């Protein structure tokens, strides 16, 4: 179900000929797509879904995908990063918007900035159903998101519990949504601050971000201790692999960025200035090869905790050790 945090226009039929999802919040963009696909498959279980990047949508491709077929099958055509489409392809899409095909739902995902604004305006002009998917940069927005996630499940969580979750997990909406799912599955009755504390903060070392911080700093023993505490207090393994991936990616981003003031880098990399300072301290000892190796190890662990392996705990321990080793790839 689409979170109410993604604001929608009055035309709220997911099977409208065109849905425009606007913004840069990946989770909400994905949910906008999922909602359309679910509605289409509810109407026709054999719906054909095509999910395309700008490179895959060449001039003529849309006409091919939307031409009538003998079997008049229902189709959902998803175009990601529509702001990056070539000028010729934009002409195709604009022409299609003027005369959309029956049984076909077009979903355009657009970042919402100045780039590719002509296409955005054209879709709005024909009355496309619009779903707003803004980046949630303010803590108050994330708090409202968590409340809504609980509301959608029909479960109640105290205001203090919602705040504790945001404080513990941070700004990643996927992690916040995953934490709500975990709590709702495991806990009966009202979810309060004590429950969130037990799951996500047990003690300071128990958060997934602490595991990641110690690992990227090359402190393997402390990272493993924090990992064991996290698992013992019920932190979902998937939150830990996500935090590890974020930590390593942040180092990769910052090491390849140009120098500059934290405020400028923060804007360029989409991180808060305090995080730039912290990542700068964590970067010592990292090499580009180390970043690549660490990301590979985290991806393997992620597959392990999502069912590809028999022992999620072992998969996480291996990843933590690999990240800590990569952090020392150039010595300190």
């Amino acid at each position: 179900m689409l979170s109410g945090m993604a604001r929608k226009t009055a035309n709220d039929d997911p099977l409208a000929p065109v849905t425009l999802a606007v913004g840069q919040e990946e989770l909400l963009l994905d949910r906008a797509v999922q909602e359309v696909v679910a509605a289409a498959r509810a109407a026709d279980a054999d719906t054909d879904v095509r999910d395309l990047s700008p490179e895959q949508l060449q001039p003529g491709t849309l006409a091919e995908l939307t031409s009538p077929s003998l079997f008049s099958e229902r189709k959902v055509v998803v175009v990601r990063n529509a702001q990056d489409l070539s000028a010729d392809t934009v002409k195709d899409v604009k022409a299609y918007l003027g005369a959309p095909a029956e049984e076909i739902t077009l979903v355009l995902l657009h970042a919402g900035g100045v780039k590719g604004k002509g296409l955005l305006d054209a879709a709005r002009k024909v009355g496309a159903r619009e779903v707003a998917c803004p980046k949630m940069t303010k803590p108050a927005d994330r708090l409202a998101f968590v409340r809504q996630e609980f509301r959608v499940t029909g479960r109640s969580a105290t205001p203090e519990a919602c705040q504790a979750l945001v404080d513990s997990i941070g700004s990643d909406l996927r992690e916040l949504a995953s934490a709500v799912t975990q709590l709702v599955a495991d806990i009966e009755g009202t979810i309060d601050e004590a429950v969130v504390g037990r799951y996500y903060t047990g003690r300071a070392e128990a958060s997934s971000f602490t595991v990641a911080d110690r690992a990227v700093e090359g402190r393997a023993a402390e990272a493993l201790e924090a990992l064991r505490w996290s698992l013992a207090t019920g932190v979902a393994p998937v939150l830990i692999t996500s935090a590890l991936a974020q930590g390593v990616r942040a180092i990769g981003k910052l090491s390849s960025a140009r120098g500059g003031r934290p405020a400028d880098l923060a804007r360029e990399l989409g991180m808060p200035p305090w995080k730039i300072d912290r990542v700068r301290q964590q970067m010592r000892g990292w090499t580009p090869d180390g970043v690549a190796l660490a990301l590979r190890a985290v991806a393997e662990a992620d597959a392990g905790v999502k069912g590809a392996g028999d022992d999620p705990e072992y998969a996480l321990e291996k990843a933590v050790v690999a990240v800590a080793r990569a952090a020392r790839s150039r010595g300190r």
Side-chain angles (χ1 to χ4, degrees):
M1 182 182 281
L2 185 77
S3 163
M5 295 305 298
R7 296 185 303 282
K8 293 176 262 188
T9 47
N11 167 18
D12 197 24
D13 175 10
L15 294 180
V18 183
T19 284
L20 185 60
V22 185
Q24 295 175 44
E25 186 52 74
E26 291 294 332
L27 175 72
L28 298 182
L29 290 166
D30 281 350
R31 286 185 176 183
V33 172
Q34 285 159 14
E35 187 185 34
V36 172
V37 170
R41 291 207 160 128
D44 177 356
D46 295 327
T47 294
D48 181 20
V49 179
R50 301 298 175 92
D51 199 322
L52 306 169
S53 65
E55 302 76 50
Q56 291 170 304
L57 196 70
Q58 295 297 322
T61 308
L62 187 62
E64 220 172 276
L65 288 173
T66 56
S67 60
S69 77
L70 283 173
F71 310 106
S72 70
E73 61 187 345
R74 184 177 284 283
K75 210 178 265 184
V76 175
V77 179
V78 180
V79 180
R80 293 185 185 266
N81 297 310
Q83 72 279 357
D84 296 333
L85 291 170
S86 70
D88 286 339
T89 304
V90 167
K91 279 185 201 150
D92 279 4
V93 178
K94 284 182 176 174
Y96 176 81
L97 291 173
E102 270 186 59
E103 298 294 306
I104 288 175
T105 304
L106 177 65
V107 186
L108 297 173
L109 274 54
H110 194 294
V114 176
K115 190 179 182 189
K117 190 164 182 302
L119 182 56
L120 200 56
D121 294 342
R124 284 173 172 155
K125 201 169 172 185
V126 298
R129 166 183 179 259
E130 187 166 339
V131 183
C133 306
K135 257 285 184 233
M136 293 196 190
T137 50
K138 298 189 184 113
D141 290 343
R142 294 193 285 274
L143 187 57
F145 171 80
V146 166
R147 283 191 185 134
Q148 176 65 12
E149 288 292 289
F150 279 117
R151 205 171 295 132
V152 165
T153 66
R155 295 289 300 281
S156 76
T158 65
E160 295 79 14
C162 295
Q163 185 65 58
L165 209 50
V166 172
D167 291 346
S168 302
I169 287 176
S171 60
D172 188 304
L173 281 207
R174 284 187 197 283
E175 289 200 5
L176 286 167
S178 171
V180 170
T181 305
Q182 177 88 21
L183 288 166
V184 165
D186 288 1
I187 305 298
E188 288 178 13
T190 298
I191 291 155
D192 60 17
E193 193 177 6
V195 166
V196 173
R198 199 161 70 240
Y199 263 61
Y200 293 98
T201 48
R203 62 178 237 193
E205 292 85 357
S207 112
S208 52
F209 287 103
T210 304
V211 179
D213 284 341
R214 296 300 84 80
V216 299
E217 287 158 8
R219 292 151 69 178
E222 289 171 52
L224 287 169
E225 189 199 349
L227 171 66
R228 286 177 197 124
W229 268 101
S230 292
L231 295 170
T233 52
V235 175
V238 69
L239 295 181
I240 298 168
T241 53
S242 177
L244 282 168
Q246 278 186 61
V248 178
R249 275 197 213 107
I251 282 164
K253 273 184 180 175
L254 194 54
S255 55
S256 60
R258 298 180 299 283
R261 295 179 308 132
D264 298 332
L265 284 167
R267 269 196 301 279
E268 188 187 327
L269 301 177
M271 292 180 202
W274 62 264
K275 189 160 185 188
I276 298 282
D277 290 334
R278 181 193 286 175
V279 176
R280 266 189 174 147
Q281 289 163 3
Q282 293 173 334
M283 268 167 57
R284 288 192 291 267
W286 280 92
T287 63
D289 284 349
V291 170
L293 281 169
L295 283 175
R296 205 154 45 241
V298 174
E300 279 173 24
D302 195 48
V305 303
K306 287 177 177 166
D310 299 327
D311 189 346
E313 199 166 323
Y314 175 63
L316 284 168
E317 284 182 5
K318 235 170 77 172
V320 163
V321 170
V323 170
R325 195 173 288 146
R328 296 182 168 277
S329 50
R330 193 166 50 202
R332 279 176 174 266

